[in-house]
Amino acid sequence: MNPFLKDVAIDLKNRFGEDLHETAIIFNNKRPITYLKQHLATVYGQAIWSPQFFTIQEFFRLSTNLSEATPIAQFFILYHLHNDLLAKEGHEAETLEEFYPIAETILSDFSQIDYDLVDIDEIFMELFDNTQIDLQFQHFTSEQQDFIRQFWQSFSIAGHSAVQERFLKLWRRLPLLYRAFKEELIANKMTNMPTIYRDIVDGKAKKQEFYKQYKKIIFVGFNALSKVEATLFKKWQEQGLALFYFDADAYYLEDKQQEAGLFIRRNIFQTALANALGERPNVIGNRESEVNLYSATGNVSQTKLLHEILENNEKEGKSSAILLADESLLVSLLQSLPNVKPNITTGFPLTQSPIYGIIELWMEVQHLITHQKKTKIPYTLIETFFNHPLTNVSKEEKLAIQKLITEKQLFEVDIKELSFKSSSLAHFFHPITRIEETIVLLIHIIDNLLANLAQEDRIKQIDSNLLIEVRKTLNQLNLGLESLQPLSLPFQLGLISKAIANINSAIEGNPLEGLQIMGLLESRCLNFDHVYVLGANEGILPKTSSSPTFIPNSLRQAYGLPILENQDALSAYLFYRHFQYSEEIHLLYNGIVSDSSSGEESRFIKQLEFESNFKFLKHNQQQNITFLPDQEELIIEKKGKVWDKLRLDYIDNKKKISASALTTYLQSPLQFFLKYVAEIKEPPSISQEFEMNNLGTVIHNVMEKVYLPFKGAEQFVPIRELEKSLAKVDTLIISEIIELYQLEGTGLSTLNSLQRIMHKIASEYIRLLIQHDINHFIGIKIIELENDQDYVINFPIEIQGKEENVSIYGIIDRIDEVLLKDKTIKTRIVDYKTGADEVNFKSLDKVFIKNTENKALVQTLFYTYVYEQVTGRIGIEPNLYVVRKMREEGTLFYAKSEILETEYLVEVKKEFITFLKTTLEEIFNPDVPFKHDPKAKIYDSDPYILFYKNAINEDDEE
C-alpha cells in the first residue's frame, strides 16, 4: 500500500499536471512538506515549477501586515487592561504576582472563543432561569440548551456563595477585557493568531482576499478542525477554490463507535468536505499482521529495551520512526540509542540541559543572598557551581575552595570568599543590588555563556540555540516589566522559570533518511515501514488531563469548544493511522504500577486487540542479572615490601600502636593494613550533617577545660566547686566550635544552623557528664587530663622465635581520684564516649577475640594497663562515660551480675595482658596475612568499604 503522501502526489499530478505551481498546498505542520516534495519528484520524474507550501498558520498570516504579539507581550497587555477594569469597578489593582496564575487561562479561553467563533457576550451571559435560556437560545438544539442549564443550576436565584460571587465578578469582566484586549492589540499595530483566524471569517482582515492569488488551495492531512477552519474550508470548496486530502481508513471512518474517526466523519458528513482521494479502503480491518507489545520494567527501561529491539530489527532500505507518546522519555532515549543517525523534531528541552541547571542555580543563589539577605552559601551549591560543565572554573581555584571548605568544615561559605576569576561567571555569587536589574543580570550571564561556547573548538549547536532562545525570552520579559513598579525577586525568578521552561532546540538530521524521532502529533500525514511507540500507557495515550479553563465543561459542550473527549479522539486517530501503513509495529509501555504509571497498556491497544484481526505478540522485559566475575578476596601477605615496612615502622623505628589501632585490627586486619601500614588516608570531605567525631572533639575539649582547675589539688576539691562550672559550659562550647571550624566572630550568632544543633547537643551531654560526678561524689582530685602527656611503654612480644619490643601508647581522657559519699576513695581512668558504646558485655570470651563485641572495654583496659605500667600505680579502675546510657547503666563495665571492680577487675586485667600479647604477636606474624573478617560489622561511612567487597558478598551468601 502506498504511503498517504504518495497517493496525494499521484492524485495531484493527475489533476494538475504541469499547472501544479498555481496551487498552494497547506499542512498543519512543516514536517510533511519535505516528504510530499520527495513524492512529487518521484511521481513527476522531471523538474517542475513547485507549488507554494504553507502551514495553516503561515497561510492565514498572509491576510495581515500586523506583527504577531508574543505570548509574553500579550500577557503584559492583558495585565494592564485587567487592572484598568478593576479600577473602574472600584477595586484595588492586582499585583503581577496575583494576576499571573489566571492570565494564561484567560488568554487560552479567548483563543478558543475566536477559533470556534463563539459570541463573547453570549457565552458569558448570566442566566439563572430556564425561561431566559429558552428565549435566548432558541437557535440551539435541545441538547445544547440542556448543557447550559446544567451549568446555571449550580447558581441559585436567591444568592451565591463567596466562591460563586468571585467567579461571577470575573465572569462579568471577561467580555469587557476581551474587547479591550483586541482594541489594544490594534492600537499597538499587533495581532495574534486567534484574531487573524476570526478576522478572516468576519471579513475584517486587511487582505481579505489573500487566498485568491492561487487557483487552488489544497489542504492535506487535516483532522480536527476549528469552527473558523470548517467555515472557511466549506466556503472555499463551494467557490471551487479548495481541495481536501483526508488520511482516513474505513475501519474507523464508517464505524461511529470508533473515536479515531470522529473528526473526519464531521469533516466529510457534517461539514460536507469532499475527500479528493475518494472512499478509503478498510485496511486496518483486513490486516492480520503481527504487532509486538512490550511490557517494560519501568519508565526509563522502555528506552533500554528499545535499544535491544532496534539492534535486532533495523534493516537497510526501511524507513523507521520512534513515536514518543510520552515525550519526557526523549533524553533517556537519546542516551540509549544504538549507533544510528537520528533526526529529532520534538526538540531537545532546555529543562534537560546543563543550561537550565546553571540558570536554576543562579536563581536559587540570588533567592538566598538577595531576597533572604544571607551572607553565606551552603557548600553544596558551591560544589554544584564549580563542578558544572559550563562554568569552567580552573582546577587551581576549585582545589582552593575545596580545601577551604574541608579544612574548616564549612557547611556554609561566606560570599566574600567566592570569586572565581578563571570562570566566565566570576560574579555569579554577587547579590543583586537593584531588583529591577534581575533579568538584565541574567541576560549578562547568558551572554557570557554564549561567548564561552564560541571560544570552544567546536561550537555546541544545541546549547547555542537554547541560549539564544533563552535570551530572546528574557528580553521580552524585561521589556514587559520596564513600565511596572519593581516586582519582588521571588516573583521575578518564578516568572523567569515559567517563561523559559518550554524552550527547546531541534536536533536536525536528514528528515528523509535514518531514524526519525517525533511526538505523535508531529507524525501526522507521515508513514514509516517500522514504527516504535514509547510510552503507550493508559493515562498517557490518551492523556487524562485537560488544560485549565474558566469555561465549564457543560458550556464548552454547548458551544462546541474542545473537551477532553476531543483530545481522546485526536490521540486515537494519530495512533490508529499507523496501523494502516506500517509493516512492523512495536509498542512499548511501562508495566510497573506506581504513582505516575497505571502499569497498563493504552485502551487503544486493548480495543485493537479485541476488535481487529491483528495478532498481538506480548513480551515481558526480563531484567538481566549480571554476575561479576569471581574475584579473589583481597589478602595482603606479610612478605616483601609489606613485611619490610611493617618491621621498619613498628619494630625498628618504634612507631607507636594506639588502642584505636588495636581495635581496628580486631575489627578488620585488612583495614589495619590499609590505615596503619599502607597509610591510605580518607579523602577530606564535608557532610551536611555534623559528624559525631566533631561532636566528640568539642565535648572532650570542653570537659578538659571544666576539670582543669581541679588538677594538681593536694586535697579533694568539694564537689560544689564543680557545680559552679555549669554556668560557663555554653560559653566554652561556643568558643570550642568557633575554634574547631575556624569561624570569625564570637557568640552564638556566629554559628550556622547545624553548629547550633551541635552546641545544643554538646551542652546537654556535658551537663549530664558533670551532673553524674556531682550526684555521686563529694570531692574530686584531677591527676591527669587528655592533653597532659602520651603514656608510652615497650611491650615485649615474640617474632619468629625472637623477643622484640613494640611501643604501645594511650591518650587518656581523664585520670582522677574521687571521694565517694561513703568516704571510700577510688582512682579511676575515665573515657568519654558519645556514640553507641556499651558498658555491658556478655562474657570475656566474646570481648578478647577478633571482631570483639565491646571495643570500648578493650580500649579502656588498654589505657589502664599502659598507665599502670608507666606510673607504677595499681588498682586503677576503668570507667566509661557513655552519655546516652550512663544514667541507666552507670560507668562501670559489667557482665551479668559481675561488675568490673576489685578482685574481678584484677582477674580481667591479667586476661587482657595475655590477649594483648597474643594479638600483637599475630599482627607481627609473617605467616598470618592481613585479610578482612567477613563477620565483622561494616558501616556505610567506612572509607575502605570497597576493599571488603568480595568478603561482604561471601558473608551475604552465608
Side-chain angles (χ1 to χ4, degrees):
M1 183 176 178
N2 285 334
F4 167 66
L5 291 179
K6 186 167 185 180
D7 281 345
V8 172
I10 293 169
D11 192 74
L12 288 173
K13 181 187 177 186
N14 293 336
R15 287 177 185 270
F16 299 100
E18 302 296 325
D19 296 328
L20 187 61
H21 66 281
E22 297 177 341
T23 67
I25 300 179
I26 317 299
F27 287 95
N28 246 320
N29 61 324
K30 285 183 175 291
R31 188 67 178 270
I33 294 174
T34 304
Y35 287 84
L36 181 57
K37 285 180 178 179
Q38 182 194 41
H39 290 306
L40 286 172
T42 303
V43 168
Y44 274 88
Q46 64 182 38
I48 60 168
W49 291 105
S50 174
Q52 292 290 309
F53 292 94
F54 298 94
T55 65
I56 186 69
Q57 291 86 3
E58 290 170 343
F59 186 63
F60 281 2
R61 203 176 282 123
L62 297 176
S63 68
T64 182
N65 291 325
L66 297 175
S67 61
E68 197 171 344
T70 64
I72 292 173
Q74 293 181 61
F75 162 68
F76 283 112
I77 290 171
L78 197 71
Y79 170 67
H80 290 297
L81 295 174
H82 188 257
N83 273 346
D84 290 343
L85 290 175
L86 287 175
K88 290 177 182 176
E89 295 172 14
H91 300 302
E92 289 186 7
E94 288 187 349
T95 64
L96 203 60
E97 291 95 327
E98 291 169 330
F99 184 66
Y100 190 85
I102 67 171
E104 283 186 317
T105 304
I106 292 174
L107 286 170
S108 174
D109 284 346
F110 285 176
S111 295
Q112 289 184 353
I113 285 169
D114 280 343
Y115 285 135
D116 286 291
L117 299 176
V118 175
D119 186 303
I120 187 74
D121 291 310
E122 191 175 276
I123 194 170
F124 290 114
M125 183 181 294
E126 287 188 60
L127 300 166
F128 298 103
D129 61 65
N130 291 334
T131 304
Q132 277 187 294
I133 293 172
D134 292 337
L135 291 173
Q136 189 69 38
F137 297 96
Q138 295 180 40
H139 58 292
F140 275 23
T141 65
S142 59
E143 184 183 30
Q144 287 176 304
Q145 291 180 16
D146 286 342
F147 286 137
I148 295 172
R149 288 190 183 92
Q150 287 173 23
F151 169 63
W152 285 110
Q153 279 172 0
S154 63
F155 292 86
S156 66
I157 297 173
H160 313 121
S161 69
V163 173
Q164 288 175 330
E165 191 59 46
R166 285 198 299 272
F167 177 79
L168 284 175
K169 284 180 180 178
L170 176 62
W171 188 264
R172 297 183 190 108
R173 197 179 302 131
L174 288 178
L176 299 174
L177 185 59
Y178 171 88
R179 278 189 285 273
F181 176 68
K182 291 300 182 75
E183 291 168 2
E184 188 69 18
L185 285 177
I186 293 171
N188 287 285
K189 296 182 179 180
M190 292 192 297
T191 186
N192 62 4
M193 190 52 65
T195 302
I196 292 172
Y197 267 61
R198 188 156 197 163
D199 282 352
I200 297 171
V201 171
D202 293 343
K204 297 178 181 179
K206 297 290 183 182
K207 301 177 182 179
Q208 187 62 41
E209 297 185 343
F210 68 97
Y211 52 88
K212 288 191 175 179
Q213 58 185 301
Y214 304 102
K215 287 190 176 180
K216 209 73 163 181
I217 311 166
I218 300 163
F219 295 92
V220 181
F222 281 76
N223 182 37
L225 301 180
S226 66
K227 188 80 173 288
V228 168
E229 290 168 337
T231 302
L232 291 173
F233 289 3
K234 185 175 183 180
K235 173 186 171 183
W236 291 338
Q237 178 179 262
E238 291 171 352
Q239 294 174 353
L241 291 173
L243 190 66
F244 303 96
Y245 290 93
F246 294 115
D247 183 12
D249 189 285
Y251 177 78
Y252 53 77
L253 182 62
E254 297 174 0
D255 181 356
K256 292 182 180 180
Q257 299 301 314
Q258 291 286 352
E259 55 194 334
L262 173 67
F263 293 112
I264 296 183
R265 284 196 295 272
R266 286 183 185 176
N267 298 340
I268 295 175
F269 303 124
Q270 293 180 26
T271 310
L273 302 178
N275 190 354
L277 292 176
E279 292 187 5
R280 304 301 287 164
N282 188 342
V283 176
I284 295 177
N286 293 321
R287 289 190 68 177
E288 297 182 356
S289 308
E290 293 179 346
V291 177
N292 289 282
L293 178 63
Y294 304 86
S295 173
T297 56
N299 218 28
V300 175
S301 293
Q302 294 176 69
T303 63
K304 309 299 181 187
L305 178 57
L306 180 60
H307 175 100
E308 299 173 17
I309 298 168
L310 289 172
E311 282 197 326
N312 298 326
N313 195 60
E314 281 303 279
K315 302 177 181 69
E316 288 291 330
K318 297 294 183 180
S319 60
S320 301
I322 298 173
L323 307 181
L324 296 171
D326 182 357
E327 295 188 10
S328 69
L329 294 174
L330 174 62
V331 175
S332 174
L333 171 63
L334 293 178
Q335 294 169 343
S336 304
L337 285 176
N339 186 23
V340 294
K341 293 181 179 179
N343 178 57
I344 305 165
T345 52
T346 51
F348 190 89
L350 172 70
T351 51
Q352 299 291 329
S353 76
I355 295 167
Y356 190 75
I358 201 70
I359 293 172
E360 286 280 285
L361 179 63
W362 182 80
M363 292 195 292
E364 184 176 355
V365 166
Q366 292 305 325
H367 190 272
L368 286 172
I369 64 178
T370 301
H371 179 65
Q372 296 184 2
K373 308 296 183 185
K374 301 282 188 182
T375 58
K376 295 181 178 180
I377 294 289
Y379 79 96
T380 50
L381 298 185
I382 300 163
E383 285 186 337
T384 301
F385 175 78
F386 62 59
N387 287 326
H388 195 283
L390 294 178
T391 56
N392 290 333
V393 178
S394 68
K395 183 179 179 181
E396 291 74 21
E397 284 197 311
K398 180 178 177 180
L399 291 174
I401 193 69
Q402 283 179 320
K403 184 178 180 183
L404 172 71
I405 291 170
T406 53
E407 283 185 353
K408 294 187 176 183
Q409 286 291 292
L410 299 176
F411 178 70
E412 297 177 319
V413 181
D414 197 307
I415 57 175
K416 295 175 184 177
E417 304 277 357
L418 302 175
S419 179
F420 298 94
K421 296 178 181 178
S422 61
S423 172
S424 58
L425 307 179
H427 304 298
F428 192 86
F429 293 97
H430 288 195
I432 299 168
T433 52
R434 297 177 65 232
I435 299 300
E436 56 268 31
E437 293 181 350
T438 299
I439 295 177
V440 174
L441 290 174
L442 184 52
I443 290 172
H444 182 64
I445 286 176
I446 300 301
D447 287 341
N448 285 340
L449 291 173
L450 272 168
N452 197 37
L453 280 179
Q455 293 172 4
E456 295 187 5
D457 295 337
R458 177 174 167 270
I459 294 178
K460 298 177 180 176
Q461 195 59 50
I462 296 174
D463 285 350
S464 295
N465 291 345
L466 288 172
L467 285 168
I468 290 168
E469 290 302 315
V470 170
R471 199 184 193 288
K472 287 179 184 177
T473 302
L474 292 176
N475 277 328
Q476 292 167 7
L477 272 181
N478 197 42
L479 287 171
L481 295 175
E482 277 182 350
S483 60
L484 299 174
Q485 294 293 324
L487 299 168
S488 69
L489 182 66
F491 178 73
Q492 288 192 67
L493 299 180
L495 190 62
I496 291 167
S497 185
K498 193 170 183 65
I500 66 175
N502 294 322
I503 291 174
N504 59 64
S505 173
I507 307 174
E508 296 293 346
N510 188 334
L512 300 175
E513 295 179 3
L515 186 63
Q516 307 300 309
I517 300 174
M518 63 190 75
L520 272 175
L521 196 61
E522 294 165 313
S523 71
R524 286 174 293 188
C525 300
L526 305 181
N527 308 118
F528 303 93
D529 298 323
H530 295 175
V531 167
Y532 308 87
V533 181
L534 280 178
N537 276 81
E538 183 63 22
I540 295 175
L541 181 66
K543 290 183 174 64
T544 54
S545 60
S546 56
S547 301
T549 176
F550 288 120
I551 305 173
N553 200 56
S554 56
L555 288 186
R556 298 180 76 85
Q557 288 176 302
Y559 286 92
L561 295 173
I563 55 177
L564 190 60
E565 286 80 358
N566 297 158
Q567 183 175 291
D568 292 356
L570 178 59
S571 296
Y573 170 74
L574 294 171
F575 181 69
Y576 272 52
R577 61 175 300 277
H578 291 286
F579 287 80
Q580 299 166 221
Y581 304 97
S582 300
E583 295 175 10
E584 289 189 18
I585 297 178
H586 300 262
L587 310 173
L588 295 88
Y589 70 98
N590 177 10
I592 302 298
V593 179
S594 67
D595 293 339
S596 59
S597 171
S598 63
E600 294 183 357
E601 67 270 35
S602 167
R603 68 172 182 270
F604 298 156
I605 298 172
K606 291 181 178 179
Q607 287 168 5
L608 283 169
E609 187 178 6
F610 179 74
E611 297 171 350
S612 73
N613 295 318
F614 284 101
K615 297 175 182 177
F616 283 81
L617 305 180
K618 298 185 178 182
H619 312 271
N620 291 315
Q621 183 182 25
Q622 300 296 323
Q623 289 285 21
N624 294 327
I625 301 174
T626 303
F627 293 96
L628 294 173
D630 290 338
Q631 300 174 2
E632 291 186 5
E633 183 181 355
L634 181 57
I635 297 174
I636 307 298
E637 300 286 349
K638 294 173 188 171
K639 57 179 66 172
K641 292 182 179 179
V642 172
W643 174 251
D644 291 344
K645 189 171 190 308
L646 183 65
R647 184 175 182 89
L648 178 66
D649 285 350
Y650 290 98
I651 305 301
D652 299 341
N653 294 336
K654 294 294 185 284
K655 183 177 178 180
K656 296 178 289 186
I657 297 174
S658 66
S660 295
L662 178 70
T663 53
T664 297
Y665 181 83
L666 297 175
Q667 183 75 9
S668 170
L670 179 59
Q671 185 181 137
F672 176 88
F673 165 78
L674 296 168
K675 190 172 183 178
Y676 295 102
V677 183
E679 297 179 328
I680 298 174
K681 303 298 182 185
E682 181 179 357
S685 64
I686 182 170
S687 170
Q688 293 192 48
E689 300 176 0
F690 66 84
E691 297 176 357
M692 290 304 294
N693 61 339
N694 288 336
L695 177 65
T697 299
V698 170
I699 291 173
H700 279 70
N701 291 347
V702 171
M703 289 294 288
E704 181 184 357
K705 289 180 173 63
V706 167
Y707 283 85
L708 187 60
F710 309 115
K711 182 176 180 295
E714 293 184 4
Q715 303 295 325
F716 284 105
V717 179
I719 208 68
R720 62 178 176 273
E721 295 299 320
L722 179 61
E723 195 167 4
K724 293 177 184 178
S725 66
L726 291 171
K728 60 181 180 180
V729 164
D730 284 335
T731 302
L732 290 172
I733 293 171
I734 293 169
S735 175
E736 197 61 42
I737 293 174
I738 289 172
E739 184 177 345
L740 175 67
Y741 291 103
Q742 302 178 46
L743 306 177
E744 295 180 4
T746 58
L748 188 62
S749 60
T750 306
L751 310 186
N752 64 32
S753 54
L754 282 181
Q755 290 159 356
R756 292 189 185 200
I757 293 172
M758 179 184 287
H759 161 259
K760 188 69 176 174
I761 295 173
S763 178
E764 293 295 325
Y765 279 8
I766 290 169
R767 291 174 189 280
L768 190 150
L769 293 171
I770 296 171
Q771 194 63 48
H772 173 272
D773 291 350
I774 293 170
N775 293 342
H776 289 79
F777 312 132
I778 59 175
I780 189 169
K781 286 195 292 187
I782 299 299
I783 300 171
E784 301 287 357
L785 289 171
E786 182 175 352
N787 290 334
D788 291 338
Q789 70 177 80
D790 293 350
Y791 292 90
V792 185
I793 63 168
N794 286 324
F795 190 86
I797 60 172
E798 185 176 302
I799 302 176
Q800 294 179 309
K802 181 181 178 182
E803 185 176 286
E804 303 276 7
N805 285 308
V806 292
S807 292
I808 61 175
Y809 83 109
I811 301 175
I812 302 168
D813 290 343
R814 178 173 123 201
I815 304 166
D816 62 23
E817 282 187 13
V818 291
L819 180 62
L820 278 66
K821 291 181 179 180
D822 62 0
K823 304 300 182 180
T824 58
I825 296 173
K826 285 187 176 182
T827 303
R828 310 181 312 156
I829 276 183
V830 174
D831 195 20
Y832 308 126
K833 295 292 184 183
T834 57
D837 295 276
E838 300 270 358
V839 290
N840 178 35
F841 61 97
K842 293 178 181 177
S843 67
L844 286 179
D845 292 341
K846 293 187 177 182
V847 174
F848 295 153
I849 56 170
K850 290 277 190 67
N851 195 20
T852 174
E853 72 166 16
N854 196 315
K855 291 197 302 180
L857 176 54
V858 172
Q859 287 181 335
T860 312
L861 288 171
F862 185 98
Y863 298 144
T864 304
Y865 173 73
V866 171
Y867 181 73
E868 287 182 339
Q869 293 300 306
V870 170
T871 62
R873 289 173 175 259
I874 58 172
I876 306 297
E877 183 183 85
N879 278 245
L880 189 71
Y881 279 34
V882 184
V883 288
R884 298 183 185 184
K885 302 174 182 178
M886 57 191 297
R887 280 178 179 169
E888 298 79 18
E889 299 183 3
T891 64
L892 292 173
F893 291 95
Y894 66 93
K896 298 179 182 178
S897 59
E898 292 187 284
I899 299 175
L900 201 59
E901 57 183 354
T902 60
E903 291 85 0
Y904 184 50
L905 176 59
V906 173
E907 176 188 337
V908 169
K909 285 180 179 180
K910 290 178 181 178
E911 289 192 39
F912 172 75
I913 296 170
T914 302
F915 169 68
L916 177 61
K917 180 178 175 63
T918 302
T919 304
L920 289 172
E921 287 180 347
E922 181 180 297
I923 292 174
F924 293 94
N925 184 346
D927 297 327
V928 180
F930 293 114
K931 59 182 288 187
H932 180 72
D933 180 359
K935 296 180 181 179
K937 183 176 178 64
I938 296 175
Y939 299 92
D940 292 339
S941 59
D942 191 328
Y944 305 102
I945 193 168
L946 290 177
F947 292 98
Y948 316 144
K949 188 171 183 180
N950 195 58
I952 295 171
N953 291 339
E954 288 179 0
D955 189 40
D956 289 344
E957 289 171 9
E958 292 177 6

